[in-house]
Amino acid sequence: MISEKAEEIINYHEATKHHFEQYARSPGYMDWQNQPNPFRSYTEVPVLRLPLLKADPPAAYRGLYERQDNLPQPIILETLAGFLELSLGLSAWKAVSGSRWSLRINPSSGNLHPTEAHLILPPMASHPGGVYHYNALGHLLERRAEIHSDIWQRIVSHFGTDGFLIAINSIFWRESWKYGERAFRYCNHDAGHALACLSFAANLYGWKCVFLNELSDEEIEAILGFEQIRFRKLEEEHTDCICFIYPRGTADTPRGLPDPIIADLANLAFKGEAEILSQKCIDWEIIYQTARLAKKPSTAKTRVELQNRNWLVDASSPLSAAEIVRNRRSAIAFDDSGFITGSQFFSMLDKTLPRRDIAPFDVELTEPLTHLLLFVHNVDDLTPGLYFFVRKNADLSEIKGISRSDYQWAPVETNFPLYLLAEGNYRQQAMMVSCHQDIAGSSAFSLGMIAKFRDVVTADPHRYRHLFWETGMIGQVLYLEAEAHGLRGTGIGCFFDDAVHEIMGFSDNRYQSLYHFTVGKPIEDPRLTTYPPYNHLPNHKSVP
Ligand SMILES: Cc1cc2nc3c(=O)[nH]c(=O)nc-3n(C[C@H](O)[C@H](O)[C@H](O)COP(=O)(O)O)c2cc1C
């Protein structure tokens, strides 16, 4: 028996599919007058300006993923500022013929940036502990509430280690302004990308980031003081999740907060007003309805058991981990004659497999629920064609059983879950299913992320969102891996859902394609000028 909640969420998913003959409902034009501000400030609160990094953390490429060589740094203002700069800060300004826009370390569909971050920080030399909002444009923290040191001491004793909390939230209107009803999906993709960004940046400081899976959304919104804010209607922040970040070494930290601490945080005296983002908002009702149904209740602590697994390829990169993070960009066009090597391809896929104590999947969001349907165009020593990468072996026989019977399922490598389904030139099909976007057909490979869907949403409706977060995290790994190998990737949120399922031969919703991605040799747009990320701030010098 499927619950009404799950059924309605699945209905939202169906209603927001793009079809060849009809796209999901959206405004259909850009209402520039009402474009939401991609940066939020909380006004009338004390502001803490963060120093910019004078030098990046020294981790090499491997240190993106592995933690053992990244010395745990003390949690002080400078390291916290560096962590924010390298996770959710700006990465550049771009300009062309009179218009100028910023880019960030975390990507976002349409560059609309629905994700906001709030931190619960310990007292430090220069400032009291408190609940702070991160303002990425000013690279500053806005103190919305002060925490007395005794509350903080109880938080430390609860976790058994120093650390801090960071929550990410979505403002749906920022995405629905352009994308209408499908925007809830994009906000959740973006949250997944942001979650991976937090994990990678924490790693560079020798810290570990874990997802606090016990807390309900209501509890998180209470401790962030959202019950005490009068958000402008439709400009509310809806919480995605909260993570605890701590120096590595502590084996099994709690995944929740005790009720008395939740109550004390919720009762803090919160100050400040969330600045209005646009003149007028449109109520895409189905988004708010689905968000209500997909709210997370409080749940028992779960641990995701991850395996130790050697890397398939001993890959390296001339870039440091921080350079990779800073240089990440979305490709806007690819050289369709550009080949990538087999070892680059295998290294990228391999990094999407979760491993114990390896970022970003050791945040322990979920056991793997998502697999990759690959359209391979230009990979040395690999026959062009359709491939399938199985991120959780237990799903293999079910997927085979519901797929087209003429697919080969021929293993490509020993001890690597990659299978050839069919040889052939899939450029046209890849492009066509990704809303006719050239970038899916002219790259070295593109892919659809195929998630276990019906059973997951039926069992736990709130995990509809986790499916998208997982795909966003995989996307972030692919973005960084592409950059590390001198290539470039792009997330693709626009695709014809059922056309992808037809390629697989799926006839029901046991598995659904939730996100696409493409990787190849990029062609730069020479018309664009690039400026450093913080040259708009007086007296701020970025890492050269
Ligand atoms: C969830 C998601 C969906 C996206 N969908 C598309 C897409 O369909 N087509 C495209 O060209 N770019 C897409 N992008 C790339 C964004 O446009 C890009 O991230 C944004 O403009 C910021 O640029 P940057 O990634 O270079 O920082 C997507 C990105 C994300 C995170």
Side-chain angles (χ1 to χ4, degrees):
M1 243 314 254
I2 180 165
S3 70
E4 235 173 82
K5 241 188 204 181
E7 199 172 340
E8 280 199 48
I9 291 170
I10 292 173
N11 287 346
Y12 166 79
H13 193 72
E14 282 298 322
T16 54
K17 284 182 171 174
H18 286 326
H19 301 279
F20 290 129
E21 63 287 0
Q22 192 173 23
Y23 282 78
R25 273 183 292 276
S26 75
Y29 71 103
M30 306 282 234
D31 178 7
W32 294 115
Q33 292 285 328
N34 285 307
Q35 184 181 18
N37 186 342
F39 295 104
R40 164 159 274 171
S41 311
Y42 282 81
T43 56
E44 297 160 45
V45 292
V47 159
L48 181 63
R49 287 190 189 283
L50 296 172
L52 285 168
L53 281 167
K54 294 195 179 69
D56 279 338
Y61 156 70
R62 281 282 189 94
L64 266 179
Y65 304 101
E66 295 170 3
R67 205 167 287 115
Q68 72 265 17
D69 293 334
N70 302 344
L71 273 185
Q73 300 298 306
I75 297 169
I76 54 175
L77 189 67
E78 285 70 21
T79 52
L80 185 73
F83 160 76
L84 286 167
E85 188 179 332
L86 292 172
S87 54
L88 303 173
L90 301 194
S91 55
W93 287 88
K94 293 276 174 186
V96 68
S97 44
S99 51
R100 190 177 138 91
W101 63 96
S102 59
L103 297 176
R104 303 197 205 179
I105 299 291
N106 54 317
S108 165
S109 53
N111 203 24
L112 299 170
H113 290 284
T115 311
E116 292 289 332
H118 295 248
L119 296 95
I120 304 182
L121 296 178
M124 298 190 199
S126 56
H127 67 276
V131 181
Y132 290 81
H133 168 250
Y134 177 54
N135 174 328
L137 181 65
H139 193 47
L140 48 86
L141 288 168
E142 296 155 350
R143 192 171 78 230
R144 301 179 39 241
E146 197 170 318
I147 298 180
H148 298 293
S149 53
D150 64 309
I151 301 185
W152 188 260
Q153 272 321 312
R154 281 162 48 218
I155 295 177
V156 172
S157 336
H158 167 69
F159 284 108
T161 168
D162 286 335
F164 62 93
L165 294 142
I166 182 162
I168 52 175
N169 311 307
S170 294
I171 302 174
F172 304 144
W173 166 239
R174 286 216 184 107
E175 289 279 336
S176 60
W177 167 77
K178 179 173 178 189
Y179 295 115
E181 293 188 348
R182 199 168 156 105
F184 183 59
R185 297 174 175 218
Y186 298 150
C187 290
N188 282 294
H189 285 133
D190 284 8
H193 279 280
L195 184 56
C197 288
L198 299 182
S199 171
F200 283 126
N203 228 27
L204 301 191
Y205 287 92
W207 304 336
K208 181 163 174 165
C209 173
V210 290
F211 166 58
L212 297 189
N213 58 33
E214 288 178 31
L215 294 171
S216 68
D217 288 346
E218 218 169 88
E219 287 168 326
I220 300 172
E221 291 182 352
I223 65 181
L224 298 180
F226 286 177
E227 289 168 354
Q228 297 182 44
I229 296 182
R230 271 170 299 120
F231 282 118
R232 198 245 191 124
K233 187 164 167 9
L234 305 177
E235 292 192 354
E236 305 90 354
E237 292 184 31
H238 298 260
T239 200
D240 295 310
C241 64
I242 190 161
C243 296
F244 182 61
I245 296 187
Y246 60 99
R248 68 162 198 248
T250 314
D252 185 12
T253 52
R255 296 294 197 266
L257 283 168
D259 288 345
I261 293 183
I262 294 177
D264 283 349
L265 291 171
N267 287 328
L268 295 174
F270 282 88
K271 299 195 186 72
E273 296 282 331
E275 244 177 17
I276 285 180
L277 304 176
S278 44
Q279 301 292 318
K280 194 176 85 194
C281 307
I282 294 174
D283 186 352
W284 294 92
E285 238 174 89
I286 194 171
I287 290 182
Y288 299 90
Q289 166 73 356
T290 310
R292 266 193 300 280
L293 296 167
K295 266 189 172 264
K296 184 186 175 298
S298 60
T299 43
K301 174 180 175 175
T302 49
R303 289 294 315 266
V304 178
E305 290 305 328
L306 300 175
Q307 295 171 9
N308 285 319
R309 190 185 178 117
N310 291 333
W311 299 117
L312 179 76
V313 180
D314 189 19
S316 64
S317 169
L319 302 175
S320 74
E323 281 170 327
I324 294 167
V325 163
R326 287 182 183 281
N327 292 355
R328 183 212 62 77
R329 296 283 182 282
S330 293
I332 44 176
F334 290 105
D335 170 3
D336 65 5
S337 64
F339 272 77
I340 68 169
T341 67
S343 76
Q344 288 171 335
F345 178 69
F346 288 122
S347 170
M348 283 184 238
L349 292 187
D350 192 31
K351 299 298 188 306
T352 71
L353 293 175
R355 290 171 159 88
R356 184 176 303 162
D357 258 327
I358 297 288
F361 299 107
D362 68 348
V363 299
E364 292 186 29
L365 169 66
T366 171
E367 76 277 16
L369 295 166
T370 303
H371 310 280
L372 310 179
L373 167 64
L374 294 139
F375 303 87
V376 173
H377 312 311
N378 277 2
V379 178
D380 282 342
D381 305 325
L382 207 61
T383 315
L386 205 58
Y387 290 77
F388 204 89
F389 187 60
V390 182
R391 291 180 67 252
K392 185 181 182 186
N393 203 38
D395 291 344
L396 177 59
S397 61
E398 184 182 28
I399 296 172
K400 264 183 174 174
I402 60 173
S403 302
R404 276 175 55 157
S405 56
D406 57 342
Y407 282 153
Q408 297 177 33
W409 292 98
V412 174
E413 277 275 327
T414 39
N415 288 329
F416 196 59
L418 178 67
Y419 300 87
L420 171 68
L421 301 184
E423 293 181 7
N425 181 340
Y426 278 86
R427 285 187 192 278
Q428 276 303 325
Q429 282 209 52
M431 220 164 73
M432 183 189 70
V433 296
S434 286
C435 294
H436 310 289
Q437 298 185 77
D438 281 347
I439 50 171
S442 55
S443 57
F445 69 95
S446 62
L447 57 90
M449 300 189 198
I450 309 288
K452 195 178 185 78
F453 187 77
R454 189 181 65 197
D455 289 353
V456 173
V457 178
T458 306
D460 289 305
H462 72 271
R463 296 185 76 203
Y464 178 61
R465 293 150 67 206
H466 294 183
L467 294 175
F468 284 94
W469 302 353
E470 189 192 20
T471 64
M473 293 181 76
I474 295 170
Q476 194 62 21
V477 169
L478 294 171
Y479 263 124
L480 297 189
E481 270 292 293
E483 212 65 53
H485 296 295
L487 305 166
R488 195 145 270 181
T490 305
I492 300 184
C494 188
F495 55 89
F496 299 118
D497 305 62
D498 287 343
V500 187
H501 305 147
E502 255 169 56
I503 292 178
M504 279 305 292
F506 296 161
S507 57
D508 61 27
N509 62 359
R510 269 178 278 181
Y511 287 82
Q512 295 279 282
S513 180
L514 297 188
Y515 188 25
H516 284 205
F517 206 89
T518 184
V519 175
K521 293 230 154 113
I523 300 176
E524 301 293 343
D525 185 342
R527 295 166 305 171
L528 295 182
T529 315
T530 305
Y531 298 97
Y534 292 102
N535 77 340
H536 61 294
L537 297 181
N539 308 322
H540 268 65
K541 290 257 175 296
S542 318
V543 167

